[in-house]
Amino acid sequence: DAGVTQSPTHLIKTRGQQVTLRCSPKSGHDTVSWYQQALGQGPQFIFQYYEEEERQRGNFPDRFSGHQFPNYSSELNVNALLLGDSALYLCASSLRQTKYFGPGTRLTVL
Amino acid sequence: SQELEQSPQSLIVQEGKNLTINCTSSKTLYGLYWYKQKYGEGLIFLMMLQKGGEEKSHEKITAKLDEKKQQSSLHITASQPSHAGIYLCGADTTNAGKSTFGDGTTLTVKP
C-alpha cells in the first residue's frame, strides 16, 4: 500500500501565477481533504471532497478550488498567487474518520 | 481565536525522562487525533480518541481524552531521540469530518 502520495514535492511560482497540486489517496479511501500549513502553525482546513463533490470548505477565498476524480484522486488549484500563499500544502485521505496525510507539497511564491 | 490550544509550545527533555503535552478545545469534540510531524514533512498518525475517558497506548506513547473538560493529553514515557519532532493535536469539531489543528508542540530530546 503506497499510502497518500502528493506531487510535486516542491514548487516555486511568482505572484499572479496559477498552480495545480495533485494527491492520490490511500488505497480504498474515498474522501480527500486539503490543508495549508504555514511555518510554525498547525494545518488549516481548505476543503474536503467526497464522491467528486466539495463537501465542506474552510475559510479560504475562491482563488482556491479543487476537483476529485472518479478514482478518488484530487487536485488543488490556486489562482492569482499571493506571497502569503507560500506554505506546505497537505492532502489527507480517509475512509471513515481517521485521516492519513501525504508528505505535502512545499509551495514558494516569489 | 484558536479552537485547539496546545501546551507547551516547545519542550526540551533529557533522554529517558517522561513528558506530557496537553491539548484543550474550545468546542465540542467529535474525535481527537494526535499526529507527529518532522519539520517540513507530512503528518504521521499516532492515535485517535473518541469517547470520554478513553485511553490508548502505542509503544511508549499514551493518550487520554477527558471529554467533559474537552482536553486530551499525550504522555511519553522514557523519551528517546527518535521521539523528537512536532506533535499536533487535531479534532473534528463538526460531525462531518472537518478537522482543526493546534499549532503543535516541538519536542527536543537531548541524548
Side-chain angles (χ1 to χ4, degrees):
Chain A
D1 182 5
V4 181
T5 60
Q6 291 186 243
S7 63
T9 53
H10 294 86
L11 204 49
I12 299 175
K13 292 285 188 178
T14 56
R15 281 178 295 175
Q17 284 189 311
Q18 177 264 343
V19 69
T20 298
L21 311 182
R22 295 176 177 84
C23 172
S24 291
K26 192 174 167 64
S27 178
H29 286 189
D30 57 7
T31 302
V32 173
S33 304
W34 286 93
Y35 291 81
Q36 180 194 67
Q37 187 179 25
L39 204 59
Q41 297 182 15
Q44 298 291 316
F45 176 77
I46 302 175
F47 42 53
Q48 183 182 79
Y49 277 85
Y50 172 71
E51 292 189 343
E52 302 178 54
E53 298 270 339
E54 183 181 292
R55 190 163 71 166
Q56 288 202 85
R57 189 178 182 92
N59 191 24
F60 279 80
D62 291 345
R63 297 187 297 110
F64 289 77
S65 62
H67 188 78
Q68 185 179 34
F69 299 93
N71 66 354
Y72 306 128
S73 66
S74 177
E75 288 182 350
L76 163 66
N77 300 293
V78 187
N79 294 323
L81 284 166
L82 304 173
L83 294 179
D85 294 332
S86 294
L88 181 68
Y89 287 85
L90 296 162
C91 164
S93 74
S94 55
L95 180 58
R96 280 176 280 276
Q97 225 170 338
T98 301
K99 293 179 180 64
Y100 292 88
F101 282 80
T105 294
R106 170 71 62 187
L107 172 64
T108 302
V109 182
L110 301 177
Chain B
S1 65
Q2 189 78 357
E3 289 183 10
L4 285 178
E5 293 282 349
Q6 282 187 240
S7 62
Q9 194 172 32
S10 63
L11 197 51
I12 302 173
V13 299
Q14 203 68 39
E15 183 176 358
K17 295 294 186 184
N18 303 335
L19 63 106
T20 300
I21 298 168
N22 295 299
C23 176
T24 302
S25 175
S26 60
K27 294 189 175 184
T28 302
L29 295 172
Y30 291 87
L32 192 290
Y33 307 84
W34 284 99
Y35 290 88
K36 181 184 175 184
Q37 184 178 32
K38 292 284 189 181
Y39 177 76
E41 298 180 9
L43 279 63
I44 300 167
F45 173 75
L46 295 175
M47 273 170 275
M48 176 189 171
L49 304 166
Q50 278 188 292
K51 302 173 187 176
E54 188 171 13
E55 179 175 322
K56 287 187 177 177
S57 293
H58 177 68
E59 297 179 343
K60 294 185 178 179
I61 301 176
T62 300
K64 299 179 186 179
L65 178 62
D66 185 330
E67 199 174 50
K68 287 183 182 177
K69 292 183 180 178
Q70 294 176 173
Q71 281 181 345
S72 178
S73 60
L74 185 85
H75 184 78
I76 299 177
T77 304
S79 58
Q80 301 168 356
S82 61
H83 287 128
I86 302 167
Y87 288 83
L88 290 150
C89 66
D92 290 337
T93 53
T94 70
N95 59 6
K98 175 186 172 184
S99 295
T100 58
F101 285 85
D103 282 341
T105 295
T106 301
L107 172 64
T108 303
V109 180
K110 289 187 170 181

